[in-house]
Amino acid sequence: MSGWQALADEAARWRDQGRIAELWWRDDDAVDAGPALDRLLAIVNDGKTPLALAVVPARATAALADRLSGEAEVDVLQHGYAHSNHATPPEKKIEIGLQRPAMVTLGELGTGWMAMERLFGTRALAVMVPPWNRIAPVLVPTLPEIGYRGLSTFGPRPRVHPVRGLLQVNAHVDLIDWKGGRTFAGEERVLASLVTSLAHAREGGGEPVGILSHHLAMDAGAWDFLRSLWGRMTKLESLRVRSARELFAPEAGRQGGRG
């Protein structure tokens, strides 16, 4: 059975239970306008597909803000501060970790949020997307204290609210095989991951399932799959693509804190 048929079958299971599966789309590492971003936005606009664009605030340009100014389907999330690795081998890469004093790290995030507000205004949501999807667990409780209302990493979330005042909505399906040459992971592999994630959500609490892309790192196979995926989603009535603003509301509204 093909991956597309398996996806249709899983969608039918949701339909037979009278339920709607929620999906969302997150793209990481945005810093500037350019051809890759234009290609990404073309897919967004072809199907009016909501996109959550994770922007690196320390590197974000005015040109990026200008390019997004008319894109109604795009929400902006904060992707750490500078996407800088502070770990030393053999530690895994991490920016929001314990390699430096917590106040330094949190201060950078606050500075980053001010840049997000300045560049993107109300389009920016108070949602933290840690670079490499890693954040030291001890720092998670500090996020709502400095004004964040959402957290997005990768994989099934342990809890809907890791701490009071913080909603977690993750990505689950990565289009790129980072360990296998940084190329498209392959249609069947990605679809299998999507079907598994949807089944897990159906059997659990209905967690939104996130598709993760990286417009600056994708090859032709990943681009072709991404366009095909969102094109087919419109034909599966029991699958609904939601915007980040919908998923994180009302937590997405910045309330107090730094910035």
Side-chain angles (χ1 to χ4, degrees), residues 17-207:
Q17 294 181 12
R19 301 170 64 194
I20 300 292
E22 293 183 328
L23 292 97
W24 73 301
W25 176 16
R26 198 184 92 202
D27 186 277
D28 287 0
D29 301 345
V31 293
D32 199 1
L37 181 66
D38 289 343
R39 193 172 184 179
L40 189 76
L41 296 177
I43 296 176
V44 170
N45 291 319
D46 278 352
K48 300 299 179 184
T49 307
L51 170 66
L53 192 66
V55 174
V56 182
R59 298 165 54 197
T61 66
L64 174 62
D66 289 344
R67 180 65 182 85
L68 296 178
S69 62
E71 299 293 337
E73 302 295 338
V74 181
D75 293 317
V76 175
L77 313 182
Q78 183 176 341
H79 200 26
Y81 174 64
H83 210 300
S84 298
N85 174 33
H86 299 295
T88 54
E91 294 179 309
K92 293 182 178 180
K93 293 180 179 180
I94 190 169
E95 180 175 58
I96 311 177
L98 299 178
Q99 290 77 17
R100 301 177 300 159
M103 291 305 297
V104 172
T105 299
L106 298 177
E108 282 187 347
L109 296 184
T111 299
W113 174 252
M114 288 190 286
M116 298 288 287
E117 281 191 311
R118 183 178 67 253
L119 285 170
F120 305 106
T122 58
R123 185 185 297 273
L125 305 183
V127 176
M128 178 54 58
V129 180
W132 298 286
N133 292 296
R134 298 189 185 106
I135 179 171
V138 71
L139 294 180
V140 172
T142 69
L143 294 180
E145 293 176 3
I146 61 173
Y148 295 99
R149 294 293 174 258
L151 172 66
S152 184
T153 59
F154 189 84
R157 60 188 178 192
R159 293 173 298 281
V160 177
H161 295 275
V163 295
R164 184 176 180 180
L166 192 71
L167 173 65
Q168 186 161 4
V169 182
N170 286 351
H172 304 79
V173 182
D174 196 336
L175 302 190
I176 297 178
D177 181 359
W178 297 99
K179 296 180 180 180
R182 298 169 63 91
T183 58
F184 178 44
E187 181 176 280
E188 291 303 313
R189 177 175 166 184
V190 172
L191 287 171
S193 178
L194 176 55
V195 170
T196 298
S197 297
L198 284 168
H200 184 272
R202 177 172 49 81
E203 294 162 359
E207 176 180 1

Side-chain angles (χ1 to χ4, degrees), residues 1-11 184 187-188 190-192 194-195 224-233 236:
M1 177 171 55
S2 75
W4 294 113
Q5 184 59 53
L7 177 60
D9 290 348
E10 177 58 29
F184 178 44
E187 181 176 280
E188 291 303 313
V190 172
L191 287 171
L194 176 55
V195 170
D224 289 345
F225 175 83
L226 193 60
R227 183 176 293 278
S228 181
L229 176 68
W230 296 127
R232 289 173 183 252
M233 284 299 175
L236 298 173

